[in-house]
RNA sequence: UGCCUGAUAGUAUAAUGGUAGUACGACGGUUUUUGGUACCGUUUGUCUUGGUUCGAAUCCAGGUCGGGCAACCA
């Protein structure tokens, strides 16, 4: 493995803690998604970090749903999140929910009220915002701030008992209205929401805010290293403060820079818009940066884990080139995907000196990268073939080493041929290419002594099967759609999906199975889409092959 | 105008006071029955100004630039 890889800053912290004997050598992390959307590649970074850390240091990781806002959350999301984490190859120690702790959290709130550190405020949201001041002006208090402990206790109990409508009252921490950290200006701890919760049903009508739930949840589980993204840095003061005042397990929060990928968007809000406004075919559209989208596109768990390993973990803002993700999937699939032939844009090729009606069964390796071989399949060959339109040129430029009139090329796994003539329709489009073949040049028993520079793929017209192929490209035309003027949706790539409804594939591909990626030789990696049926195969292009041939 | 936070090749990420390295990309080459893969080589970097030091990417001070903070979201 990568034993000599240097440590990232969080691993350094863990190793220091371990060396200092902190937590008795125990490492317990957590992955805390809110079940209000599907997981995306940015979450994958966090998942790999949290679960990877635990794995590396003989610890464990809890999967904890941060479900403190019932109006936005749903079991549909819980299920998809669990599926995605599992698919990525990780196992959680415990499946937990912040809502499991609503009783504890309520008791914690009561405790803070008793300590004079929390109060019930009757102000409206607007009034509270106005009283908070601005980053440069201190906030102001109000009359509710001086309520007695007894009154606060009673009012908070009444809030819980449903005596007030939504928004009538909130519980606030009494900290410092003049703090330079806006989050410390008496933050809300609880709000009233008469809403049905996906787990606790109608038991509660008050729900804790993130800041009054997350740190305490970590503490209850005795999480040793609570890792989150940079935007939570200012929240750390609150995180530590509540833990200190409640005298509970001192979990520690550490922050890293979230992943940004170019040519896509990563916020759940924006992804939801793409889904709801029909710009994509659901959360798992192969163009989406969601885990489910990448899975449908043909990405493998190993490739995503490798990607997360390569991008590193640090505290500076970053924008990762999607090319790195593509490198990772190519690297993985090159070693595992079976090679097959498919002609995406067909033109007919006739071999003039090959006997009419003759057929041969040729053989092609499944994967030349596998040492010792990975078996082979049979490929029928005949007088008439489909080849790629772009693999022939009547007047080839100097560095073109595919087929031309008078030039030779090898048909993959078959014979060397020489272009002879073309047939065109009234518009001048080539409808047929005629060639001759060299009988002694058969793959595996070539005695022709001829060396050709190019090799092209082909399908026997008599034996060809048909399939639909979906060619995907980046969803956006600009690197950072969120940072452009106007609406990010204005920058969607109109050619992000090109459907080829009549692609010729070799007969063996009729055996293609979902979840087993194939390489269409010289074209890229493809995988069967979930819309595929026995009667109609549908392939998604995962990624092209790297193209070293740049014209001109 | 406040507070927090960060700055190393095009993009990421190391170097923890002692030779600025690695990966991806780009470019060039070798091999090749995939213009793929593999292998080899080249290219480009410490935000700025001072200071401390024999020696600074690293420590200190000022500046510049980026990100975040005033949701009954997480």
């Amino acid at each position: 493995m990568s034993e000599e890889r240097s440590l990232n800053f969080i691993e350094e912290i863990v190793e220091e803690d371990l060396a200092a004997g902190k937590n008795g050598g125990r490492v317990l992390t957590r992955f805390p998604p809110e079940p209000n959307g599907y997981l995306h590649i940015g979450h994958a970074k966090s998942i790999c970090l949290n679960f990877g850390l635990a794995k590396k240091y003989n610890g464990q990781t809890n999967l904890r749903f941060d479900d403190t806002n019932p109006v936005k959350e749903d079991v549909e999301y819980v299920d998809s999140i669990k599926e995605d984490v599992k698919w990525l190859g990780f196992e959680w120690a415990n499946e937990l929910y912040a809502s499991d702790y609503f009783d504890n959290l309520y008791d914690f709130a009561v405790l803070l009220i008793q300590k004079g550190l929390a109060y019930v405020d009757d102000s409206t949201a607007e009034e509270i915002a106005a009283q908070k001041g601005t980053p440069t002006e201190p906030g102001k208090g109000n009359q509710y701030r001086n309520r007695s402990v007894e009154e606060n206790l009673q009012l908070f109990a009444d809030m819980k008992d449903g005596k007030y409508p939504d928004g009538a009252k909130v519980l606030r921490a009494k900290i410092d209205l003049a703090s330079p950290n806006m989050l410390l200006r008496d933050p809300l701890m609880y709000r009233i929401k008469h809403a049905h919760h996906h787990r606790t049903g109608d038991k509660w009508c008050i729900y804790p805010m993130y800041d009054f739930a997350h740190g305490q949840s970590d503490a209850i589980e005795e999480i040793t290293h609570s890792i989150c993204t940079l935007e939570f840095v200012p929240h750390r003061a609150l995180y530590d403060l509540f833990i200190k005042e409640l005298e509970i397990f001192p979990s520690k929060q550490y922050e890293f820079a979230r992943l940004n990928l170019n040519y896509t968007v990563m916020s759940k809000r924006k992804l939801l818009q793409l889904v709801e406004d029909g710009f994509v075919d659901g959360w798992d559209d192969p163009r989406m940066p969601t885990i489910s989208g990448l899975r449908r596109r043909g990405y493998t768990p190993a490739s995503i884990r490798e990607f997360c390993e390569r991008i590193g973990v640090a505290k500076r803002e970053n924008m990762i080139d999607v090319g790195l993700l593509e490198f990772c999937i190519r690297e993985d699939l090159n070693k595992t995907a079976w090679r097959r032939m498919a002609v995406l844009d067909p033109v007919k090729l006739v071999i003039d000196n090959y006997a009419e009606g003759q057929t041969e069964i040729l053989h092609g390796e499944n994967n030349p990268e596998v040492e010792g071989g990975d078996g082979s399949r049979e490929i029928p060959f005949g007088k008439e073939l489909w080849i790629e339109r772009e693999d022939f040129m009547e007047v080839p430029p100097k560095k073109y080493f595919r087929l031309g009139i008078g030039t030779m090329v090898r048909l993959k796994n078959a014979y060397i041929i020489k272009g002879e003539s073309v047939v065109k329709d009234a518009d001048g489009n080539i409808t047929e290419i005629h060639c001759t073949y060299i009988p002694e040049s058969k793959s595996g028993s070539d005695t022709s002594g001829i060396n050709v520079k190019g090799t092209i793929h082909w399908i026997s017209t008599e034996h060809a099967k048909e399939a639909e192929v979906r060619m995907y490209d980046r969803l956006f035309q600009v690197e950072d759609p969120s940072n452009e003027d106007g609406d990010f949706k204005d920058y969607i790539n109109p050619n992000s999906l090109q459907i080829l409804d009549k692609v010729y594939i070799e007969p063996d591909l009729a055996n293609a199975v979902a979840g087993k990626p194939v390489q269409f030789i010289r074209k890229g990696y493809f995988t069967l889409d979930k819309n595929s049926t026995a009667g109609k195969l549908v392939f998604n292009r995962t990624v092209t092959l790297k193209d070293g041939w740049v014209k001109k």
Side-chain angles (χ1 to χ4, degrees), chain A residues 380-415:
Chain A
F381 182 83
K383 184 181 176 71
E384 286 195 357
L385 310 175
W386 295 116
I387 65 168
E388 214 70 66
R389 197 166 275 277
E390 65 172 19
D391 285 340
F392 173 81
M393 283 187 96
E394 267 187 287
V395 196
K398 46 264 139 207
K399 282 290 187 59
Y400 187 85
F401 35 87
R402 279 114 96 157
L403 190 62
I405 296 299
T407 66
M408 294 199 286
V409 75
R410 173 173 290 281
L411 293 171
K412 178 77 181 173
N413 296 128
Y415 299 93

Side-chain angles (χ1 to χ4, degrees), chain A residues 409-451:
Chain A
V409 75
R410 173 173 290 281
L411 293 171
K412 178 77 181 173
N413 296 128
Y415 299 93
I416 292 173
I417 56 169
K418 182 172 153 198
E420 302 289 355
S421 61
V422 294
V423 178
K424 293 182 181 178
D425 64 15
D427 300 326
N429 301 310
I430 296 172
T431 55
E432 230 174 71
I433 300 163
H434 285 255
C435 69
T436 51
Y437 85 116
I438 317 285
E440 318 69 74
S441 67
K442 185 170 175 175
S443 281
S445 52
D446 185 348
T447 55
S448 70
I450 302 171
N451 266 322

Side-chain angles (χ1 to χ4, degrees), chain A residues 165-390:
Chain A
D166 288 6
K169 287 180 165 46
V170 290
L171 183 69
R172 288 228 256 170
K174 189 191 273 188
I175 303 177
D176 177 8
L177 285 165
S179 172
N181 181 347
M182 297 296 294
L183 293 167
L184 258 26
R185 321 250 266 223
D186 289 13
L188 271 61
M189 294 161 60
Y190 267 93
R191 76 286 215 194
I192 300 170
K193 275 181 196 280
H194 291 270
H196 187 83
H197 188 278
H198 72 110
R199 289 190 55 95
T200 60
D202 299 313
K203 178 180 177 186
W204 297 88
C205 64
I206 57 171
Y207 292 93
M209 299 288 291
Y210 168 86
D211 284 312
F212 197 67
H214 201 98
Q216 290 92 315
S217 300
D218 285 342
I220 289 167
E221 294 170 23
E222 302 200 342
I223 298 295
T224 57
H225 302 264
S226 179
I227 301 161
C228 61
T229 46
L230 250 28
E231 68 267 30
F232 291 97
V233 168
H235 293 254
R236 192 174 61 231
L238 260 185
Y239 184 102
D240 291 337
L241 185 148
F242 285 135
I243 282 178
K244 175 166 167 280
E245 294 298 344
L246 293 168
E247 299 179 50
I248 49 182
F249 182 83
S251 295
K252 292 289 178 203
Q253 173 182 305
Y254 303 95
E255 311 87 7
F256 70 97
R258 64 159 7 114
L259 165 68
N260 294 295
L261 242 200
N262 59 9
Y263 299 103
T264 191
V265 293
M266 209 74 98
S267 91
K268 281 195 218 171
R269 202 192 97 250
K270 293 195 175 79
L271 294 175
L272 181 63
Q273 264 187 71
L274 293 174
V275 172
E276 288 186 335
D277 298 350
F279 287 98
V280 295
D281 175 29
W283 285 98
D284 69 344
D285 184 289
R287 291 164 294 182
M288 292 280 272
T290 50
I291 306 294
S292 50
L294 291 166
R295 175 166 60 231
R296 188 171 169 196
R297 176 84 170 247
Y299 275 79
T300 60
S303 69
I304 294 174
R305 280 187 253 115
E306 175 66 16
F307 172 73
C308 291
E309 183 70 29
R310 283 174 180 264
I311 58 178
V313 177
K315 299 188 81 148
R316 66 186 89 105
E317 297 287 329
N318 60 79
M319 173 73 80
I320 308 284
D321 192 329
V322 68
L324 183 61
L325 220 207
E326 296 176 344
F327 167 83
C328 292
I329 187 60
R330 286 191 188 107
E331 183 188 44
D332 186 16
L333 261 22
N334 175 50
K335 289 180 293 195
T336 55
W338 279 5
R339 313 291 133 117
R340 292 294 182 267
M341 293 194 285
V343 177
L344 306 179
D345 181 20
V347 63
K348 187 175 285 185
L349 176 77
V350 180
I351 306 170
D352 293 333
N353 61 339
Y354 196 82
E356 195 85 43
Q358 187 184 340
T359 293
E360 280 180 85
I361 298 299
L362 305 178
H363 297 271
E365 285 181 292
N366 284 329
N367 189 336
E369 297 300 314
V370 176
E371 46 187 315
D374 198 14
S376 65
R377 87 286 187 185
E378 298 186 336
I379 316 167
F381 182 83
K383 184 181 176 71
E384 286 195 357
L385 310 175
W386 295 116
I387 65 168
E388 214 70 66
R389 197 166 275 277
E390 65 172 19

Side-chain angles (χ1 to χ4, degrees), chain A residues 15-212:
Chain A
E15 295 205 353
E16 281 166 20
D17 289 348
L18 254 19
K22 224 170 151 183
N23 301 311
R26 192 173 56 89
V27 172
L28 180 62
T29 58
R30 105 265 91 114
F31 174 61
E34 182 188 13
N36 68 343
Y38 280 65
L39 258 28
H40 54 62
I41 184 78
H43 293 107
K45 176 178 181 180
S46 174
I47 291 168
C48 290
L49 214 205
N50 277 295
F51 283 87
L53 216 47
K55 190 169 188 177
K56 180 168 183 176
Y57 297 106
N58 295 312
Q60 290 188 311
T61 305
N62 287 341
L63 173 62
R64 183 176 70 237
F65 292 94
D66 228 331
D67 55 351
T68 58
N69 187 1
V71 303
K72 287 189 178 173
E73 297 152 8
D74 196 281
V75 281
E76 175 199 352
Y77 298 122
V78 171
D79 294 340
S80 76
I81 289 168
K82 285 163 64 177
E83 183 188 359
D84 288 347
V85 174
K86 270 190 255 178
W87 180 76
L88 277 174
F90 297 105
E91 284 177 33
W92 49 87
N94 301 289
E95 176 185 333
L96 302 165
Y97 296 79
S99 55
D100 293 342
Y101 312 132
F102 281 173
D103 286 303
N104 310 253
L105 263 11
Y106 182 83
D107 292 343
F108 287 152
V110 167
L111 194 61
L112 290 190
I113 294 173
Q114 287 168 338
K115 291 180 80 171
L117 295 173
Y119 63 98
V120 173
D121 191 330
D122 301 358
S123 308
T124 63
E126 295 69 35
E127 287 167 343
I128 290 178
Q131 289 162 7
K132 267 202 179 159
T134 68
T136 52
E137 301 165 57
K140 295 186 285 283
N142 58 38
Q143 69 270 34
Y144 308 114
R145 199 168 196 259
N146 302 314
R147 289 217 252 230
S148 68
V149 168
E150 292 67 32
E151 187 183 6
N152 283 319
L153 250 15
Q154 185 58 51
L155 291 172
F156 187 49
D158 291 345
M159 281 169 62
K160 182 188 74 158
D161 293 337
K163 294 189 181 171
Y164 307 109
D166 288 6
K169 287 180 165 46
V170 290
L171 183 69
R172 288 228 256 170
K174 189 191 273 188
I175 303 177
D176 177 8
L177 285 165
S179 172
N181 181 347
M182 297 296 294
L183 293 167
L184 258 26
R185 321 250 266 223
D186 289 13
L188 271 61
M189 294 161 60
Y190 267 93
R191 76 286 215 194
I192 300 170
K193 275 181 196 280
H194 291 270
H196 187 83
H197 188 278
H198 72 110
R199 289 190 55 95
T200 60
D202 299 313
K203 178 180 177 186
W204 297 88
C205 64
I206 57 171
Y207 292 93
M209 299 288 291
Y210 168 86
D211 284 312
F212 197 67

